[in-house]
Each structure stands twice: as C-alpha cells, then as structure tokens.
Amino acid sequence: MNNWQMRLRKAAICSGRYLAAICSGRYLAAICSGRYLAAICSGRYLKEIARRSRPPLPHHVHTLAEIEPDLLHHHHIKGIILDLDNTIVSEDDRYLAPHAEIWIAKAQSLGFSFFILSNGKRQHRVDYWSDRLKIPAISPAHKPFPRSFRRAMRSMGLQSGQVVVIGDSLHTDLIGAWILGCRSIQVASLPHPPRWWEKIAGWLIQKPYARTQELWDFSEQEYHHKQV
C-alpha cells in the first residue's frame, strides 16, 4: 500500500469517526457544553439562577405590613407610590391599616422613596397624612391618568421599572401602574361605607377586608388637634 492509499484510508477513518460523533450526539454535546461553560464564565448562568430562584412579587396581600421590604429590594424596587384612602386609613376615618406606619418607617430607613397619590378631595386629610408619614403627596391625583404618576416618579428620580404602586383599587391604582409600566400590589380595602358604584361592582375592583383580621381604630378628631 503506497503513501497515497494510506492517506485516503486515514481520511476515510477520520471522516467516519466525525460522522459517528455527530450521529451519536457527542459533537453537539461538546458544543452545548462549551456554551454552557461560557455562560457560567460570563456570569449569565448565575444571574439566571438568581432570577428564577427569586420569589415573585405578590399580586395582592391583605395589608401593607405583609409586604416584605427585602423582597422589593430583590426585585430592584427603589420607590413606592402609595394610595391613602382605604389603604392606610379608611375614608370615613374610622380605621387604620394595622402596622402600616411602622412598615412605612422601616422601609424609609432601608432607603425606599415614597410618594402618596390620593384621589380624595379633602385636602386637609391628605396634608395631615403627608406630614404625619413624612411623604410628599398629590391630591386630587386623578388616578389612573398618568400625569400624577409621572410627577411622583420624577420627584423620586426613578424609572417605572424601579417603582411599585400599592393600593386597594383596580381601576385607579393598578390600572394607573399598568399604564406607566410600574409593578403593583393590591391590598384589601379597609372597611368603609360603600359608595353607589361599590354596591354594584365593588367586588370586581376591590378585595374585601376579612372580618377576622385585626383593625386599628382612628378618630377624625386627630385632624382638629393637628390644626390647633
């Protein structure tokens, strides 16, 4: 067998092994494993693991205090737009959301920015809570229209992806958040005298406050004490 024949034989053997490797999947496995190793080295794989292992933000909770600030941090949330009526205080000024003020103070100490957007027209109430909670506010905010949401985000110096909107009403708080591309969490509405439209469709846009859940009392006399 001359040199030329030997070369042809080796080429045939090598090409056969190459095809066998492809057919057996070893070649593709090698490519995939190379990509896998490259992804690990670049950090993308570790980031993907962290993203998938992170608990999602809840769509709704019973009270504001049930939200974990650490979870907001994990989702890169830096700012919180809060509703006032029936989220922090009932609109008839009878009840406070349990532990809400403590939760807000804790979140502020952790570096979260806050802004209150209220559709309420009683300005003295909004001013009172803005001062008491040390949070700037807009009232009436005309939610869900985006103007007040944009003003709040500009004030906090944040983009929509860094902000979560927390409130009790689908048609104002949650839809407003959706329009701007913010995330949102719905809380149960504090007990209050239902308006006419709530008697008809309140069950569609609000979560009822469970009768077994704790409630804190509040008196509108506190507004008058503040003025004095």
Side-chain angles (χ1 to χ4, degrees):
M1 188 180 293
N2 57 36
N3 290 337
W4 179 250
Q5 289 175 326
M6 289 289 292
R7 289 177 182 175
L8 287 175
R9 184 178 178 184
K10 288 181 179 179
I13 292 171
C14 292
S15 63
R17 288 175 178 169
Y18 180 72
L19 289 172
I22 293 176
C23 293
S24 66
R26 284 183 294 169
Y27 181 72
L28 293 175
I31 292 175
C32 292
S33 65
R35 290 176 180 169
Y36 179 75
L37 290 172
I40 292 176
C41 294
S42 67
R44 285 181 295 169
Y45 181 71
L46 295 176
K47 289 179 181 178
E48 182 65 15
I49 289 177
R51 187 186 69 80
R52 292 188 180 186
S53 63
R54 180 191 307 150
L57 282 179
H59 294 296
H60 54 82
V61 295
H62 203 73
T63 64
L64 183 64
E66 292 178 16
I67 301 169
E68 292 291 339
D70 286 344
L71 183 59
L72 299 181
H73 268 309
H74 287 319
H75 285 270
H76 309 293
I77 297 296
K78 296 183 178 180
I80 299 168
I81 294 177
L82 276 179
D83 176 45
L84 179 61
D85 287 339
N86 304 324
T87 296
I88 298 172
V89 59
S90 62
E91 62 183 279
D92 62 347
D93 298 312
R94 286 191 61 192
Y95 302 113
L96 282 178
H99 309 285
E101 289 185 79
I102 299 170
W103 185 90
I104 291 170
K106 179 183 177 181
Q108 287 171 327
S109 71
L110 293 173
F112 288 99
S113 298
F114 279 86
F115 209 102
I116 290 174
L117 295 183
S118 173
N119 280 1
K121 298 178 181 179
R122 291 176 287 171
Q123 190 65 46
H124 71 280
R125 294 177 71 256
V126 179
D127 291 342
Y128 171 87
W129 285 104
S130 177
D131 182 63
R132 175 164 167 166
L133 299 173
K134 298 179 176 58
I135 300 175
I138 295 175
S139 172
H142 304 294
K143 297 178 290 184
F145 297 106
R147 183 177 180 181
S148 59
F149 288 93
R150 291 196 181 106
R151 285 180 60 188
M153 288 190 290
R154 280 198 302 269
S155 176
M156 294 186 289
L158 298 173
Q159 301 298 315
S160 58
Q162 300 171 299
V163 174
V164 65
V165 178
I166 302 174
D168 72 302
S169 293
L170 170 67
H171 69 303
T172 54
D173 305 304
L174 276 62
I175 288 181
W178 177 77
I179 291 172
L180 270 296
C182 300
R183 282 166 282 187
S184 61
I185 301 174
Q186 186 177 20
V187 299
S189 294
L190 291 170
H192 62 280
R195 287 161 283 189
W196 67 267
W197 58 266
E198 289 177 315
K199 294 178 181 179
I200 299 171
W203 62 276
L204 287 172
I205 60 177
Q206 295 172 329
K207 301 289 184 183
Y209 199 90
R211 295 181 180 180
T212 56
Q213 288 289 326
E214 179 184 15
L215 277 171
W216 288 7
D217 292 327
F218 181 75
S219 172
E220 64 178 338
Q221 293 300 319
E222 294 196 36
Y223 299 138
H224 304 301
H225 294 325
K226 179 68 177 179
Q227 292 174 354
V228 174

